[in-house]
Structure formats: C-alpha cells, structure tokens
C-alpha cells in the first residue's frame, strides 16, 4: 500500500521539485537539472511533449470507446458500408503534420543550443576504456584514470555503483567543454543532470558542453553497452566554487602531471593488455 501511495505522489510532483542529483528509488522523471541545457530539456519535456502526447492519447482512447459503444453489433444489425470521407482524411493527415511542425520548432532550437559550443573556460578530455574512464585536462597538462569504488570500500553517503576513486572537478557557472573518445570499443559519456550524453568512439573525438549552475556532486554512467563491466564505469563530477577549483587544480598538477602523455599511456595500456 505504501508503494502505491509513493507512485501516486510521484505522479503528481514534477521531476524538478523532488529529485536530486543521482537516481532515486521509485524515480519516474528526470534528475534535478543542474545546467542550462538540462533545464531546456526538462522544459521541452514537461511543457511540450508531455501535454501533447497526453492529449493525443486521451483523444484516441475517447475515439475507440465512442466507436465501441456507438457502433456495437447489438445496435447496428446492418453494418454501414461507408468507406471514404474526404474531409476526415484531409484532417487526419493535416493535423498530425501541424503537431509535428509545432514540436519541431523548440526541438530544433534545443538541438542547436546543444550543438553550438560557447567559448570554453575549461576543457576536459574523457576517454572510455574497458572498463573505466580516463580524463585529461589538456590546458593544464594533467591526466588521471577514474575507477569505480567497490561496494566494500564505500564510505558513508557514497552511492553504490556510482562512486569513483578520482573524480573530475569543474568550476560552477563556467562553460565546460568535454571532448569524448574511446580507446577500445564504443562507450558513451552521459550525465543526466547536465543533459549531456555523447558516444565515445575509438579514432574519433566527439564534443559536448555544459555549464553547471549549482555546486555539488553529480553522477553519470557509461551509456553504451561496452562489455561485461559496462555497468561498473561510472562518472562522478564535482562542481565547486572557483577558489576550490583552483586549489584542486594546484594539487592535481602535482599528483596527476602528464609528461609526454600520449606515448606513455598507449604503452601502459598495451602492457596492461598483455598481462
Ligand atoms: Cu563503457
């Protein structure tokens, strides 16, 4: 019974008002938007797609029920032989076309927003490996690997299957450009609260961007089936103030300094594969 009430109450609450930055039990809607891009996506879903699909579903259901009652066999001993009605045929072609055009306008606007990357304040390169993410901050010459933390090693409040050993840090209210690629098979770098998801393709660099509008820890997962441990290569992003970011960067430059990054990494990975 409690579960029933949970579902009912969730149905009446919008996704943006109750949910936080990681998946929740009984979650139905999106995660809380934390970037301008995700806010637009949630708006498009809540105020365009959902009303239109609901209206269409209710209307079609009404038509089916109406036809079932009005044209039931007991009331219509002799079936009607009508097979064409030009007016109705024109209407049921034109109205869906108009609905699609109305939906297309904000949809293309959204796609264009996502595709046009503003001048980046921070650039991060995310490389998918079987089965972890490698990150580089090319402008800072730092790079590190980010592995999932095992369940037995989790500290308090660290979510299972979403916590990593080395998190990425980004400053709040800054444009972050993410370059995404892979070193072995297809992966995908996805972060729901930023409205970001791009395939990581070996030999090709995809780009995306986000501007986080609030500080906190945000979780994502690899979203392209990439092998047996696909579920165990999460993404953790810490959005921090500019000062905290500068402090982290200072430490990271000591800890994660890259030398001649490309060759060392390739050799390291080849050795790893041989072992
Ligand atoms: Cu993957």
């Amino acid at each position: 019974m409690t579960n029933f009430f949970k579902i009912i109450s969730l149905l009446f609450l919008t996704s943006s008002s109750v949910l936080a930055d990681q998946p929740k039990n009984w979650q139905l809607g999106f995660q809380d938007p934390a970037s301008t891009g995700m806010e637009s996506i949630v708006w498009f879903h809540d105020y365009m797609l959902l009303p239109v699909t609901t209206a269409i579903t209710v209307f079609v259901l009404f038509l089916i029920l109406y036809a079932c009652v009005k044209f039931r066999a007991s009331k219509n001993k002799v079936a009607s032989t009508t097979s064409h009605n030009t007016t109705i045929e024109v209407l049921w072609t034109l109205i869906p076309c108009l609905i699609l055009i109305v939906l297309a306008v904000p949809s293309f606007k959204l796609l264009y927003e996502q595709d046009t990357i503003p001048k980046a304040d921070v650039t991060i390169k995310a490389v998918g490996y079987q089965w972890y993410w490698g990150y580089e901050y090319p402008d800072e010459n730092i790079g590190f690997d980010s592995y999932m933390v095992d369940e037995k090693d989790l500290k308090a409040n660290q979510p299972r299957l979403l916590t990593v050993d080395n998190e990425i840090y980004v400053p709040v209210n800054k444009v972050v450009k993410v370059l995404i690629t892979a070193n072995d098979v297809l992966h995908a770098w996805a972060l729901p609260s930023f409205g970001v998801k791009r395939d990581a393709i070996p030999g090709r660099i995809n780009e995306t961007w986000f501007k986080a509008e609030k500080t906190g820890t945000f979780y994502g997962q690899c979203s392209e089936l990439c092998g047996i441990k696909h579920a165990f290569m999460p993404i953790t992003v810490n959005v921090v103030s500019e000062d905290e970011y500068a402090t982290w960067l200072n430490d990271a430059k000591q800890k994660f300094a890259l030398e001649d990054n490309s060759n060392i990494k390739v050799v390291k990975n080849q050795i790893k594969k041989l072992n």
Side-chain angles (χ1 to χ4, degrees):
M1 203 57 179
T2 353
N3 286 344
F4 174 75
F5 283 120
K6 265 189 197 165
I7 295 175
I8 296 297
S9 57
L10 273 175
L11 282 175
F12 286 99
L13 290 167
T14 61
S15 54
S16 51
S17 63
V18 279
L19 304 167
D21 323 310
Q22 68 192 67
K24 291 277 185 300
N25 290 339
W26 293 99
Q27 179 173 343
L28 286 179
F30 294 115
Q31 291 181 32
D32 241 2
S35 74
T36 37
M38 189 58 191
E39 267 159 25
S40 315
I41 293 174
V42 170
W43 179 88
F44 183 54
H45 173 268
D46 287 0
Y47 297 106
M48 296 291 299
L49 292 181
L50 210 55
V52 169
T53 45
T54 308
I56 292 173
T57 311
V58 169
F59 178 64
V60 172
L61 183 69
F62 162 78
L63 286 184
I64 292 172
L65 293 176
Y66 179 80
C68 287
V69 174
K70 173 119 200 243
F71 302 109
R72 64 189 190 274
S74 58
K75 278 278 173 188
N76 294 274
K77 300 279 189 247
V78 185
S80 157
T81 52
T82 311
S83 63
H84 284 288
N85 184 317
T86 313
T87 320
I88 286 185
E89 280 163 25
V90 169
L91 283 180
W92 76 38
T93 310
L94 270 186
I95 293 174
C97 282
L98 287 176
I99 294 175
L100 287 180
I101 291 170
V102 167
L103 287 181
V105 175
S107 173
F108 280 119
K109 201 171 150 255
L110 199 56
L111 273 178
Y112 182 77
E113 258 175 42
Q114 293 176 343
D115 212 43
T116 320
I117 303 182
K119 197 184 161 326
D121 298 304
V122 176
T123 304
I124 299 177
K125 186 176 164 195
V127 186
Y129 297 94
Q130 280 178 318
W131 287 272
Y132 62 97
W133 289 97
Y135 294 106
E136 280 170 35
Y137 287 63
D139 302 329
E140 314 294 345
N141 203 37
I142 57 177
F144 53 88
D145 292 334
S146 185
Y147 282 87
M148 188 188 78
V149 174
D150 265 349
E151 209 177 328
K152 59 176 173 16
D153 302 323
L154 287 177
K155 297 195 190 91
N157 295 327
Q158 286 189 324
R160 180 180 153 267
L161 300 182
L162 291 173
T163 306
V164 297
D165 54 358
N166 292 319
E167 297 144 351
I168 38 178
Y169 281 74
V170 296
V172 71
N173 285 323
K174 294 276 176 196
V175 175
V176 178
K177 178 156 94 168
V178 193
L179 306 170
I180 299 161
T181 186
N183 203 42
D184 35 45
V185 299
L186 294 182
H187 300 270
W189 201 84
L191 245 148
S193 29
F194 296 162
V196 160
K197 180 186 274 180
R198 276 285 182 286
D199 277 3
I201 301 167
R204 181 189 160 130
I205 291 186
N206 277 339
E207 297 183 318
T208 188
W209 71 281
F210 62 83
K211 187 166 143 191
E213 288 190 310
K214 53 182 180 186
T215 55
T217 307
F218 300 89
Y219 299 97
Q221 288 172 303
C222 175
S223 298
E224 179 69 61
L225 195 52
C226 60
I228 195 166
K229 284 166 84 181
H230 161 64
F232 309 116
M233 46 183 298
I235 297 153
T236 309
V237 178
N238 276 319
V239 180
V240 294
S241 69
E242 251 183 277
D243 288 346
E244 285 170 290
Y245 177 69
T247 316
W248 174 80
L249 210 53
N250 252 336
D251 291 348
K253 277 181 181 164
Q254 310 290 322
K255 216 169 133 192
F256 302 129
L258 283 182
E259 289 153 57
D260 182 7
N261 64 33
S262 47
N263 287 338
I264 290 179
K265 206 146 194 194
V266 168
V267 172
K268 260 192 196 164
N269 275 303
Q270 278 167 348
I271 294 171
K272 215 180 263 173
K273 269 183 197 155
L274 287 174
N275 288 335

